[in-house]
Amino acid sequence: MTNSCGENIGGSHPNESRERRTRRLARNRESARQSRRRKKDLLLTLGDKVNKLHNEIEQERMSQINAMEKEFIAHKKETIKEMSEVLSNFDEMDPRNEDKALQILLRQVLQSLGPNSLSRQHVAAFQNSQLRYHVFPTFNRFLLWLSMQPDSLFTAAKDERSKVSTNSRLSSKQIGEELTSAINPSDASFVEGKPLGPRISSTKTNDFLRFWPMFCYEMSLSVDQEDRFLNYYRAAKQQIDHEQNARQIASVLSLTSDTKKGIAINSQQAACSADKCLYSILNPQQSARFLKWFEINKDRCQVIVGKRTSKKQIVRESSLSDLASEIEKTLKVRR
């Protein structure tokens, strides 16, 4: 094809030999392969950077948590020291002012620095989320959920579209693109002379005609990638122990949730016990003396309690990864 000036604007040249055209097409294919390889390497590099940054952030969070606990202990010791100074100046102060000062410091020890303080609740929530991530990451839970869905979730939209389309290679991505893109005025549907407006931008997981196509469009899944996924999905469904593995994984997730609830209950009980002891039984002066005595003799108390325990268990420090591995080993979960 040529323009009005006689210049070639098509994909081939009029005087180009077959050999030159073959070499040119081969160069184009090689250039396209190299471009795809560079994009793939770039995505892998970006993925490694994201994982590295994520690990650095998590390590920094853990170090901040450890530092915060040390600051809590130091702050509690300082507060107890202030309470002791108030007691030492008992003769120089009005008893009502002394009680008021001690109550303020005591409330700070119990509420701001206690086992159920707001900061400790946030720390416990973060550590539980880390535990759930190490046990079973979110994307794995999503894939597990997909594997438990009926086959119609992945085929309903294409089956419905095949009734009005003759394209045998119609992909869910194409259907999702049509669902999420704005309506073209030339092919828009009208109600009482007014356009329907933009098409759907979100949907529910139980909407079989929209969920999978919109997911494929957002993930940019090609026809071949979708076919490979469906083949893996059907192969997994045919495994005898598929549902059993899913139930075991659900048990692990339930266990992590129960762990979170147990920590919250124990923290609340510890806070209520301290509150009941120091507020309901002891007066402010006695509470201050008790906290000072316990701070001095805490190690001795722990030794005595340990000796009186009939079955003393040796507790070692473990990371969240170690705990997740122990849970998996105990329940024999296979991913």
Side-chain angles (χ1 to χ4, degrees), residues 177-232:
E177 184 177 6
E178 295 175 4
L179 290 171
T180 54
S181 61
I183 290 181
N184 190 325
S186 61
D187 63 355
S189 299
F190 291 81
V191 176
E192 296 180 356
K194 298 180 180 180
L196 293 175
R199 294 190 179 180
I200 299 170
S201 59
S202 63
T203 187
K204 296 182 179 180
T205 55
N206 60 358
D207 189 344
F208 285 15
L209 293 177
R210 295 184 176 91
F211 169 73
W212 180 246
M214 292 175 68
F215 174 79
C216 290
Y217 171 67
E218 192 162 340
M219 294 293 102
S220 190
L221 293 181
S222 65
V223 178
D224 294 336
Q225 289 174 324
E226 183 183 1
D227 290 342
R228 287 201 299 270
F229 173 84
L230 293 178
N231 290 334
Y232 285 128

Side-chain angles (χ1 to χ4, degrees), residues 163-175:
K163 298 177 182 179
V164 295
S165 175
T166 58
N167 186 2
S168 59
R169 292 287 288 172
L170 182 66
S171 69
S172 298
K173 174 187 172 183
Q174 292 174 307
I175 300 175

Side-chain angles (χ1 to χ4, degrees), residues 41-52:
D41 293 340
L42 177 61
L43 288 176
L44 291 175
T45 302
L46 291 176
D48 293 339
K49 288 182 179 179
V50 169
N51 291 333
K52 183 180 178 181

Side-chain angles (χ1 to χ4, degrees), residues 12 20 35 44 46 50-51 64 73 92 94 124 131 135 138 143 166 176 194 200 216 251 266-267 276 278 296 318 335:
S12 61
R20 289 186 60 186
S35 176
L44 291 175
L46 291 176
V50 169
N51 291 333
Q64 290 293 330
I73 295 174
E92 302 176 4
D94 187 337
L131 176 62
V135 170
T138 305
L143 292 176
T166 58
K194 298 180 180 180
I200 299 170
C216 290
S251 298
N266 287 336
S267 298
K276 184 176 181 180
L278 298 180
I296 297 172
S318 301
R335 293 182 182 178

Side-chain angles (χ1 to χ4, degrees), residues 43-277:
L43 288 176
L44 291 175
T45 302
L46 291 176
D48 293 339
K49 288 182 179 179
V50 169
N51 291 333
K52 183 180 178 181
L53 290 173
H54 180 269
N55 292 333
E56 290 178 356
I57 291 173
E58 297 308 309
Q59 291 176 0
E60 181 62 24
R61 282 180 173 177
M62 293 305 299
S63 63
Q64 290 293 330
I65 289 174
N66 295 332
M68 183 189 70
E69 187 62 29
K70 294 179 180 178
E71 291 177 0
F72 272 9
I73 295 174
H75 193 186
K76 184 176 180 179
K77 289 182 178 179
E78 187 65 28
T79 304
I80 293 174
K81 183 179 178 181
E82 291 181 19
M83 297 174 72
S84 300
E85 291 176 356
V86 172
L87 287 175
S88 63
N89 298 327
F90 177 78
D91 297 333
E92 302 176 4
M93 296 180 61
D94 187 337
R96 289 175 297 181
N97 293 335
E98 182 195 46
D99 288 346
K100 186 176 181 179
L102 289 175
Q103 288 175 356
I104 293 174
L105 295 173
L106 186 61
R107 189 178 302 110
Q108 185 176 353
V109 170
L110 294 175
Q111 296 181 359
S112 301
L113 304 174
N116 199 38
S117 63
L118 186 61
S119 298
R120 293 186 190 276
Q121 291 178 20
H122 290 320
V123 169
F126 166 73
Q127 291 178 328
N128 183 264
S129 65
Q130 287 297 102
L131 176 62
R132 290 177 66 87
Y133 176 80
H134 283 293
V135 170
F136 205 59
T138 305
F139 65 89
N140 280 348
R141 292 206 298 272
F142 176 69
L143 292 176
L144 175 65
W145 176 83
L146 281 179
S147 70
M148 302 300 293
Q149 301 307 306
D151 193 75
S152 55
L153 173 70
F154 311 102
T155 60
K158 288 194 291 187
D159 291 344
E160 188 70 20
R161 185 57 61 89
S162 64
K163 298 177 182 179
V164 295
S165 175
T166 58
N167 186 2
S168 59
R169 292 287 288 172
L170 182 66
S171 69
S172 298
K173 174 187 172 183
Q174 292 174 307
I175 300 175
E177 184 177 6
E178 295 175 4
L179 290 171
T180 54
S181 61
I183 290 181
N184 190 325
S186 61
D187 63 355
S189 299
F190 291 81
V191 176
E192 296 180 356
K194 298 180 180 180
L196 293 175
R199 294 190 179 180
I200 299 170
S201 59
S202 63
T203 187
K204 296 182 179 180
T205 55
N206 60 358
D207 189 344
F208 285 15
L209 293 177
R210 295 184 176 91
F211 169 73
W212 180 246
M214 292 175 68
F215 174 79
C216 290
Y217 171 67
E218 192 162 340
M219 294 293 102
S220 190
L221 293 181
S222 65
V223 178
D224 294 336
Q225 289 174 324
E226 183 183 1
D227 290 342
R228 287 201 299 270
F229 173 84
L230 293 178
N231 290 334
Y232 285 128
Y233 158 79
R234 290 174 180 131
K237 294 283 283 188
Q238 293 176 357
Q239 293 181 0
I240 299 176
D241 56 353
H242 176 67
E243 294 186 1
Q244 180 181 358
N245 289 339
R247 287 194 296 269
Q248 289 177 332
I249 293 173
S251 298
V252 172
L253 297 177
S254 177
L255 180 59
T256 58
S257 299
D258 292 341
T259 302
K260 179 181 179 181
K261 294 176 183 178
I263 293 174
I265 292 173
N266 287 336
S267 298
Q268 292 174 1
Q269 289 178 345
C272 290
S273 299
D275 183 80
K276 184 176 181 180
C277 176

